[in-house]
Each structure stands twice: as structure tokens, then as C-alpha cells.
Amino acid sequence: MTSQASVSTTVSPRPTVVIVGNPNVGKTSLFNRLTGQSARVGNYPGITVERLVGTLSSPLRGNGLAPEVVDIPGTYSLAARSPEEQIAIGAILGLFAHAKPDLVVFVVDAGQLVRNLYLALQLVELQVPLVIALNMVDEVSDDPPNAASISQLFRVPCIATNGRTGAGVQELKGAILDALDARPTGRAEVAYPPELKKDRDRVADALPKAWRSSVERDRALALWALSSVDEDDELSDIDPTLRQRCLDVRNDAVGRDLDQEIIVSRYAFLDAHERTLYQNPMARAQKERASERVDRFLLHPFFGFAFFILVMLLVFQALFSWSEPAISLIEQMVVLAQELAGKWLPEGFFRALLTEGVLGGVGNVIVFIPQIALLFLFIGLLEDSGYMARVAYLMDRIMKALGLHGRAFVPMLSGFACAVPAILATRTMERKRDRLLTMLVVPLMTCSARLPVYTLIVGALFPKTFGWFPVQAGLMVALYVFALVMTLFCAWVLGRTVVRGRRIPLILELPPYRLPQLPIVLKMVGQRSLSFLREAGGVILVCTIALWILLSFPQIPSTANVTHTANIADSAEMLHAQENERAHLQLEQSYGGRLGKFLEPAIQPLGFDWKIGVGLIGAFAAREVFVSTLGLVYGIGDLDDEALPLRERIRNERNPSGGPRYTPLMGLSLLVFFALACQCMSTLAVVQRETKSWRWPAFMLAYMTALAYVASFVIYQGGRWIGFS
């Protein structure tokens, strides 16, 4: 992504306000309210971590320059062991070549108060100029925290807000402008153990001179260093003297857990003041008990998994049932557009390109937009309700046995939408080994790009129901479960062979249950669907045109000999048969047809013919291109009087003996191949960018392709062996 903003290490006359908070506390919603949605996306210098930058939309003061507002990635604490976490502490404190901000706005989820205030306590200890935004107060209307009590506890301004509705935003803007003049730093007295205080002072003596300030801030920085620097961290630009001092203190603390001592002391401070922060603690306790009763069911080792499978079955049944009218309508519109273009445009290269290449190729991918939008809608509703975090917690029980960090399942869930952002989401994981292992298996998750292929094959070759059982919906659920099982299996194998390392415990906050915010979810659905359409208008269009050229050239002479059935009496019918046969001959002798024929001996054991081979070639650019390629193949090779949707063309395809060319067994083999093969150049490119090496994307392509071939071979040949055709 091209950076549109950068962090300057020089002092700017424009004040800088940094928005900080835990993940999923409404930081971005509040950011949009503060800036009037004037956000622009950029990357931090030297590393691909995104941040939002805007200007505060409010009456100007002082020098007349509106403050710059920066939304940094969410973090649970300031302890940093990865480069991405190091960016957060650098942006907040002005360390590691980052400019020091003039003010930090710390966003708190009112429903997770004590957990969120842990980070606020760290900021106060570090004497950061601070304003607290008590957000999501609408979700705890029965017992909202008292903003005045929080302000009194930390001695900094605290404003109650609601980023979704805009309540309290104007008051927050006023508090920000006031705080830019007053620079409130707050104060909190945490009772650390005597031994820990001695360790803290030893580390404080080794701080670089450029970091030193007041005694209180130096001690807080020493605690940060003790929590962050160890033998396994990946931090850069740490002073060698400070690093060695931290390692010495850790080695000397025999039988003690320094991290635990720091965390327990801070939570003891927060727990001691918790009752003073609420107006009605009893109501809050009752609400927590109700949530716990629900969690006892949803997090149960058996019933929790059964409920998850039931939810997914309902989702995919809805995908087929609800989207079918819209899909049929779009199919008819594509066919109508092809017929109109063929009728009104003069015969020639341009008409063939438009009707067969653009409309026949891209059009057969666009028809699946209703299903993709519905999938995004259901995932968004499940995420916004708080249920998806419970699924991640459930999966951690399995992932413990695989040697993989439980937090890896969060990027895996993102992989249901697209592998590229899922791979980028691995940046939140602490260790390089965990990030790499997760990157290598995330592309096995069933992304939205596979959905058009699945829908085409399932809809064309499998019945909707068998008795009472919904075959198509059940098969879709089975494909998603199969992908998940294979992802975990490959993580288990790779974690013990190629990417070895110890597992660290999962720290995952379960958000409160809440009613999904439909406008926000619908906005997300629209953005992701438009992103898919942009891809269809970009990569898929280019690949489709290129494949159309390969399938259309070289042109065979119009006088090429073709054979036809001799008993056709009607001359018009005979002429049509000759044209159809010539079209098939053109397709087979084209460059694309020759490539498919060349590939056919290798894929024939999987049940695929050369036409499927042409589709597989196109699919290596992007999986969706497989659908558009088959649309081209049948658009060029079948010159019927009446245009038919692609699903019907595949269903009606016949072999030389008159039977169906494509059977359910072949369809299952093809589905398994697409479930496992790495057919996405964008995924390989982002893995190369994240690992800074071509070694890992090459390994990913090799192992996933081999796995897909072997699994497809076993399915097809095993099915034939037991009697399926």
C-alpha cells in the first residue's frame, strides 16, 4: 500500500493527538467522529503497519492549526516483544525515531473497564499527557461507570462518549483542546513488592540518556523494559547496556516471575478502586453472571462445537436459499447483455471480445456477488455479537495440541474473507515463529475467492436435497470444516518439522455479548463486496481477456474440414452442426486449448479433462478466474441458438458415449483440489513481503499444490475403486 502519510522526527507546529486503546473498543468509530471521517491510510516508516491520520474537526485555538489525530493499532498493554508492538510504545512515548505526541486520548470500553484501565494505568505511570474517553457507555446503561470517579482516580480528564451515535464527542473535542494547553499527566500510586522496586531501580540506572526524564517516568520506563526485553524478543534499537541489564536482572530473579509481579501489582491497584468506579455494582454483577451462564453452553467442549456446526449449516443453507433468486436474475442479465451485444454490434474481433471475453468471463464471476455479500453479512453479525471470539476460544483447546498459539485462530477466521488481510493480521502475534507458521497455513482456510468455484460446481453437479437432507448446504459446510481440519493438521505437521518452536499461552479477551450494529455491518459488507468487484474489474478482467486471446488464436481457416452427422436432413440444422463443430475445433487448436491438452495427462487421474485444465491455468492468477475461464471455454466452444447459464452448460456437457462428462465424483475431486491448492498470486506476494524472502512463498506453493493433487487423486481413484463413476 502506498503510504500517504509519514511520521516526522522533527517538531511540527501542528499539535499531534494519538488515539490509543485495546482492540475492539471503538477507537476507529471515535476517530471518525473526531476527524469528521477525514481519515487517510498510511504506513509507519520502514514497516508495513497501517495507521489512520486525520485532523480534528473543531474550532481552532492557539496558532490556528487544527491538531493532527493519529489512530494507532490496538494494544492490550505497552509490553512490546515484536516490531509492531514496538511501534505502539514508540508512537506513544516518542521513542525509536518517532515524534513525541502532544496528547494521548485513551479509549476505554465501558463494558470491560478494569481490563482496559490496565493500559491507562501504564500511561499514567509514564507521565503521558492523557485524556480518557469512556466509550460504549450505551452498552452498560443499567450500570455505567462513573466518568468523574475515573477522572478522580487517575487525575486526568475523563469524558463519557459513544462513538457510534456521537454522544459526548463535542465534550471530548473540548477536553482535547484544553488538555493540549494544560498537558495533564495524572498520578497513581501502585504498591510494587520491595524486591521488584530494587530490580526496577537497577534497570532505570541503565536507561539511555535520551530516554531519561523525571524519576517517576524513569522507573515506569524501567518496568516497561523489564516486561519487554528478554532473550526471545524481536525488538530493534534497544540500547545494548539496557538490554544486558534487563537480562541480568531476569537471570538474578531466580524462582520469581517478574512479569507476574508487575501485572498482579497493577491489577491489585485497579481491583481496590473498582467499586468506586460504578454507581450500581450489584446490577453489573448480575449481568456478568448472565453472560457466564451463556458462556457455559457456548464454550462447552461438546455443545459449543455442536452449536458452531449448527450455525454454519444454517448460514450456508441461507446462502443457497436466499441468494438463488438474485443469482438467477444476474445470470439472466448477463445472458441478455451478451445477446444484445451480439445483435447490435457488427461481427468481428471487438464483438467477440465483448460478448465472449468480458461479458462471458467476468459476468460469470459477478453472478456470485449475492452469495459473497451474504457470507460477509453473516460473518459480520457473528463478529459484532461477540460470538466469533468464543469460537476462537473453543479452537484454542485443539490448537494447544498442535503447538500453535491460540491467537492464530483470529487470523484464520479472517481467512474466511481473504487470505491477504488474514496474513497481515498475524502481525499482532508476538513471536516470529508463530507468525510464520500461521502465514503458511492461513491460505488453506476457505476464502471468499473459493466461494464462486464451490457454488458453480456444487450447484451444477449436486442435487439441492436428498430426502430431507440439504445436500448443497451440507456439502458447503463440509468443505469449510474440511479446510479447517486440514489447516490445523498442516499446522501440526509444519510446527513439528519446518517451523519448530514452543507454544505460548493464549491471552484472548472475550467481548461482552451485544446486539450487532446493522448499519456498521452493512457498511462493512458493502466495502468488502466492492473490493471483490474491483478485483473482478482488475485482475479477473485482465486475466480473462488474456485467456480469451489464448482460446481464440490462432484462427483456423474458414475452409477447415469438419465432420458432421450424415443423417441430418435439414440444411439449416446441418449448417449449425458444422458451425458448432468448427467452434470446437477452433477451441481445441487454440493456444489455450493446446496448453490444456498438454496438461491433461497429468490431471486425468484426478478426473479432469483439458477444459478443466485450462481453467486451472487461469485460476493460478486468482481462484475466481476459474469460473470466468470456463465461461470463456463454453462461450467459444458452444454456439447454441439460445445462450445458457454456465451451470447448465456444465450440467449438460456430454462425453462421446452420451453420458455426463462431469459427474459428482469428479466435482468432489475438483472441490477438494480447490480447497487445498494455493491458487492466488496475491497471497504469495504478501507472504514474500511479510517474510522478506521468496523461500517461504515458494515452499507454500509447493506443499499446497502437492497436497491438493494427492488428496484429489485419492478422492477420485478411491471413489472409482468402490464403484462410483
Side-chain angles (χ1 to χ4, degrees):
M1 181 179 294
T2 303
S3 176
Q4 299 175 351
S6 62
V7 175
S8 174
T9 56
T10 60
V11 178
S12 170
R14 185 187 298 275
T16 302
V17 178
V18 174
I19 299 183
V20 180
N22 293 178
N24 304 315
V25 297
K27 286 193 306 97
T28 302
S29 297
L30 202 57
F31 170 85
N32 289 334
R33 293 284 181 181
L34 291 173
T35 61
Q37 299 188 9
S38 62
R40 62 186 187 277
V41 178
N43 293 334
Y44 284 99
I47 190 165
T48 53
V49 175
E50 294 177 358
R51 51 94 181 265
L52 293 175
V53 181
T55 54
L56 188 69
S57 58
S58 65
L60 302 181
R61 297 186 188 178
N63 60 9
L65 294 176
E68 184 176 70
V69 184
V70 180
D71 180 16
I72 68 173
T75 179
Y76 287 108
S77 79
L78 295 184
R81 291 194 173 120
S82 71
E84 291 73 24
E85 294 171 324
Q86 187 175 2
I87 281 181
I89 184 70
I92 293 169
L93 299 180
L95 304 177
F96 311 114
H98 289 271
K100 185 176 181 180
D102 297 283
L103 182 70
V104 169
V105 174
F106 180 68
V107 183
V108 177
D109 179 356
Q112 303 286 326
L113 187 63
V114 173
R115 177 67 185 88
N116 282 203
L117 288 180
Y118 182 89
L119 179 53
L121 178 57
Q122 288 181 280
L123 296 172
V124 169
E125 287 184 311
L126 287 162
Q127 297 185 340
V128 174
L130 186 66
V131 170
I132 297 177
L134 184 62
N135 202 31
M136 299 184 180
V137 290
D138 58 312
E139 296 185 1
V140 286
S141 55
D142 53 344
D143 181 32
N146 192 322
S149 298
I150 297 174
S151 178
Q152 184 178 3
L153 175 63
F154 292 111
R155 304 178 195 179
V156 295
C158 180
I159 309 297
T161 61
N162 187 334
R164 295 175 177 177
T165 65
V169 172
Q170 291 303 321
E171 291 83 352
L172 179 59
K173 289 181 180 180
I176 290 173
L177 295 174
D178 291 339
L180 286 172
D181 295 329
R183 306 291 174 91
T185 56
R187 191 173 184 84
E189 298 291 342
V190 179
Y192 292 107
E195 289 297 320
L196 181 60
K197 289 182 179 179
K198 293 179 182 178
D199 296 334
R200 175 193 65 186
D201 293 341
R202 284 181 61 191
V203 174
D205 290 340
L207 290 174
K209 291 183 179 180
W211 288 19
R212 292 178 182 271
S213 180
S214 65
V215 174
E216 290 79 6
R217 186 175 184 274
D218 289 353
R219 288 173 173 172
L221 272 175
L223 289 177
W224 169 82
L226 269 178
S227 301
S228 303
V229 179
D230 62 22
E231 295 179 352
D232 295 328
D233 73 68
E234 301 169 26
L235 305 180
S236 59
D237 299 326
I238 297 294
D239 182 83
T241 303
L242 175 61
R243 176 178 289 279
Q244 188 59 49
R245 182 64 57 85
C246 291
L247 296 179
D248 291 343
V249 169
R250 284 187 171 274
N251 292 332
D252 293 342
V254 180
R256 295 167 54 204
D257 188 333
L258 297 181
D259 294 333
Q260 188 73 5
E261 290 179 13
I262 296 172
I263 293 171
V264 168
S265 299
R266 287 173 176 159
Y267 271 117
F269 172 85
L270 294 172
D271 291 340
H273 294 87
E274 181 180 9
R275 286 185 173 272
T276 66
L277 304 180
Y278 289 91
Q279 299 174 3
N280 186 2
M282 291 300 296
R284 180 175 55 86
Q286 292 174 359
K287 185 175 181 180
E288 289 177 351
R289 284 195 294 270
S291 177
E292 290 172 0
R293 285 194 292 270
V294 176
D295 280 341
R296 275 199 295 271
F297 174 76
L298 293 182
L299 301 181
H300 190 274
F302 174 76
F303 296 111
F305 276 107
F307 182 79
F308 176 61
I309 296 297
L310 177 61
V311 168
M312 298 307 293
L313 181 62
L314 293 175
V315 165
F316 288 112
Q317 177 63 26
L319 283 182
F320 277 97
S321 301
W322 296 1
S323 64
E324 182 60 32
I327 287 178
S328 298
L329 177 61
I330 298 175
E331 282 180 334
Q332 293 171 9
M333 293 174 62
V334 170
V335 169
L336 179 62
Q338 288 178 296
E339 291 176 348
L340 290 175
K343 180 179 180 181
W344 293 106
L345 292 176
E347 185 176 355
F349 176 84
F350 180 74
R351 187 180 76 172
L353 173 63
L354 181 62
T355 57
E356 299 169 2
V358 177
L359 294 175
V362 177
N364 282 299
V365 177
I366 293 176
V367 297
F368 299 106
I369 283 292
Q371 280 191 322
I372 292 172
L374 273 177
L375 178 63
F376 288 149
L377 174 64
F378 287 126
I379 290 178
L381 292 174
L382 293 174
E383 287 178 343
D384 209 31
S385 67
Y387 177 64
M388 280 306 221
R390 271 75 184 176
V391 176
Y393 180 84
L394 273 175
M395 293 305 303
D396 183 60
R397 295 169 179 170
I398 296 177
M399 299 177 82
K400 285 179 182 178
L402 305 178
L404 189 62
H405 195 305
R407 192 182 295 276
F409 195 67
V410 177
M412 288 181 184
L413 289 177
S414 301
F416 281 133
C418 179
V420 171
I423 290 171
L424 297 178
T426 62
R427 298 170 181 170
T428 61
M429 303 174 68
E430 294 180 359
R431 295 191 306 161
K432 181 179 180 181
R433 179 260 179 186
D434 294 330
R435 293 197 298 275
L436 178 59
L437 179 55
T438 306
M439 284 183 212
L440 291 177
V441 299
V442 155
L444 289 167
M445 297 295 286
T446 300
C447 63
S448 60
R450 289 180 171 98
L451 190 57
V453 180
Y454 289 176
T455 304
L456 174 67
I457 302 304
V458 171
L461 301 180
F462 294 88
K464 290 185 178 180
T465 59
F466 183 77
W468 59 269
F469 183 73
V471 174
Q472 293 182 346
L475 187 55
M476 290 292 284
V477 172
L479 286 169
Y480 274 72
V481 173
F482 172 73
L484 178 58
V485 171
M486 291 304 299
T487 301
L488 298 177
F489 171 75
C490 289
W492 179 78
V493 173
L494 296 178
R496 284 162 172 75
T497 54
V498 180
V499 191
R500 295 187 180 186
R502 63 180 179 87
R503 179 190 179 275
I504 59 178
L506 170 68
I507 300 176
L508 179 67
E509 181 175 351
L510 296 180
Y513 293 105
R514 57 170 66 102
L515 286 176
Q517 298 293 311
L518 192 57
I520 295 176
V521 174
L522 290 177
K523 182 179 179 181
M524 178 273 295
V525 171
Q527 290 173 341
R528 291 186 176 181
S529 299
L530 286 174
S531 176
F532 181 87
L533 281 175
R534 283 195 297 268
E535 184 177 354
V539 174
I540 296 176
L541 178 60
V542 171
C543 292
T544 299
I545 292 175
L547 286 166
W548 177 82
I549 293 174
L550 288 175
L551 293 169
S552 301
F553 294 95
Q555 292 280 344
I556 63 173
S558 58
T559 57
N561 292 326
V562 296
T563 60
H564 55 276
T565 306
N567 60 2
I568 297 179
D570 185 86
S571 59
E573 192 173 339
M574 181 184 299
L575 181 62
H576 181 71
Q578 289 177 341
E579 290 177 350
N580 250 336
E581 203 161 346
R582 183 176 287 107
H584 281 287
L585 185 63
Q586 166 65 51
L587 184 63
E588 290 189 18
Q589 295 187 3
S590 67
Y591 296 124
R594 294 172 190 175
L595 282 174
K597 292 284 188 179
F598 175 79
L599 191 61
E600 190 172 38
I603 60 177
Q604 209 164 31
L606 312 183
F608 309 157
D609 63 0
W610 67 271
K611 293 183 178 180
I612 298 295
V614 175
L616 293 179
I617 294 171
F620 273 98
R623 294 181 180 95
E624 309 94 318
V625 177
F626 175 82
V627 178
S628 62
T629 304
L630 286 188
L632 292 177
V633 168
Y634 286 101
I636 295 173
D638 293 319
L639 300 180
D640 296 324
D641 293 330
E642 180 184 358
L644 293 174
L646 181 57
R647 287 183 296 176
E648 294 185 32
R649 290 178 179 269
I650 292 175
R651 192 181 299 125
N652 297 336
E653 181 81 351
R654 291 291 181 265
N655 58 30
S657 63
R661 180 182 293 274
Y662 302 131
T663 64
L665 179 60
M666 189 285 299
L668 186 60
S669 173
L670 185 59
L671 290 172
V672 168
F673 186 88
F674 266 93
L676 300 177
C678 184
Q679 294 166 295
C680 182
M681 295 298 103
S682 298
T683 299
L684 296 175
V686 77
V687 170
Q688 189 279 330
R689 188 177 69 174
E690 292 296 300
T691 61
K692 297 179 176 60
S693 169
W694 282 106
R695 170 192 173 192
W696 293 112
F699 172 76
M700 176 190 294
L701 177 63
Y703 100 81
M704 289 182 64
T705 303
L707 182 64
Y709 190 93
V710 171
S712 183
F713 179 87
V714 170
I715 290 290
Y716 186 72
Q717 296 299 333
R720 293 185 63 190
W721 182 69
I722 61 177
F724 291 102
S725 58

